[in-house]
Amino acid sequence: MRRPSARKELRLLHTSRMQPWFKDRADAGRQLAERLALYRNHPKGLVLGLPRGGLPVAFEVATALNLSLDVFLVRKLGVPGHEELAMGAIASGGIRVVNEDVVRHLRISREVIDAVAAREQEELRRRERLYRGDHPPPTIAGRTVILVDDGLATGSTMRAAVAALREQTPAKVVVAVPVAASEICRQMAALVDDMVCLHTPEPFYAVGLWYERFPQISDAEVGDLLERAGAGVS
């Protein structure tokens, strides 16, 4: 697995202001794009949004930076009976990541992992068909990939995405979010080449608190954004 470069920059703004920073996810994406300006027109740049909430943010980032946009699907592999605890994850491109520490500690068999992964793989395939149709997933190897979500509370999904993405040997992995808990940003920075958090309010509470409008994003909206990006972003 390729290790992150030793030279990296953690870009976050610590704040305690208890009021929304963003009108909505589109506004957050436009603000985030300003902090990612060095990647504009990158010849091997790619923006990947984590569905569903990350797609409206990623769409604005990709549009402003003139980069391709796609979706990166991650499904957590929950421990049976304790599904909130991740024993691994599967992701777009047929990638499986296993948390060996959890597996060893709980003595989880490979048969159990395979069974859970098979169920989650079906849901991942369903969503990929829904979002991407017949289009193949993008090439990751050798590219500078910007992973975008609408915020990080625990960071578990983003950590799984980063681990899965590393298996596909990108040149550089960037994680960019509008808002996150400061400690989560610091932890993520150790895993990636560049970490951008616009705001790290304390106390954090929840991602949606920092948006004036934070509605649920539908599968149809995700598909529409990807279609628009495919037609209008090089």
Side-chain angles (χ1 to χ4, degrees), residues 17-209:
R17 189 179 78 165
M18 294 298 293
Q19 64 185 66
W21 286 102
F22 312 107
K23 294 178 181 177
D24 53 22
R25 290 181 178 90
D27 177 45
R30 289 188 289 269
Q31 292 188 42
L32 191 57
E34 294 177 8
R35 294 286 296 279
L36 294 164
L38 73 162
Y39 298 107
R40 184 174 288 115
N41 296 316
H42 192 297
K44 292 189 176 181
L46 172 66
V47 177
L48 295 179
L50 271 59
R52 302 181 183 102
L55 258 293
V57 184
F59 177 84
E60 298 296 336
V61 170
T63 300
L65 301 184
N66 193 36
L67 298 179
S68 297
L69 172 69
D70 213 307
V71 63
F72 195 74
L73 289 164
V74 179
R75 298 291 298 176
K76 180 175 70 174
L77 302 180
V79 174
H82 301 278
E83 279 71 19
E84 72 284 354
L85 177 60
M87 61 181 175
I90 58 172
S92 295
I95 301 299
R96 183 196 292 192
V97 177
V98 175
N99 187 329
E100 296 292 353
D101 290 339
V102 171
V103 168
R104 282 195 298 268
H105 180 70
L106 297 179
R107 298 181 180 179
I108 301 170
S109 70
R110 292 293 161 177
E111 290 77 13
V112 169
I113 297 172
D114 289 343
V116 174
R119 290 195 300 270
E120 294 298 338
Q121 188 68 49
E122 283 302 313
E123 177 60 17
L124 189 145
R125 289 196 191 99
R126 184 194 73 81
R127 292 196 180 196
E128 284 196 321
R129 287 193 299 268
L130 188 63
Y131 298 154
R132 189 176 284 120
D134 296 327
H135 298 289
T139 299
I140 300 299
R143 302 186 73 172
T144 291
V145 181
I146 304 174
L147 279 169
V148 177
D149 207 349
D150 54 13
L152 300 178
T154 66
S156 58
T157 301
M158 185 63 80
R159 277 192 288 268
V162 169
L165 199 63
R166 288 286 185 196
E167 294 291 325
Q168 301 183 62
T169 62
K172 185 174 184 178
V173 176
V174 180
V175 167
V177 294
V179 63
S182 59
E183 182 57 29
I184 298 303
C185 271
R186 298 184 199 283
Q187 292 173 10
M188 289 299 307
L191 305 178
V192 299
D193 302 291
D194 191 5
M195 182 76 202
V196 180
C197 300
L198 288 189
H199 298 288
T200 56
E202 294 291 349
F204 182 76
Y205 296 124
V207 172
L209 180 67

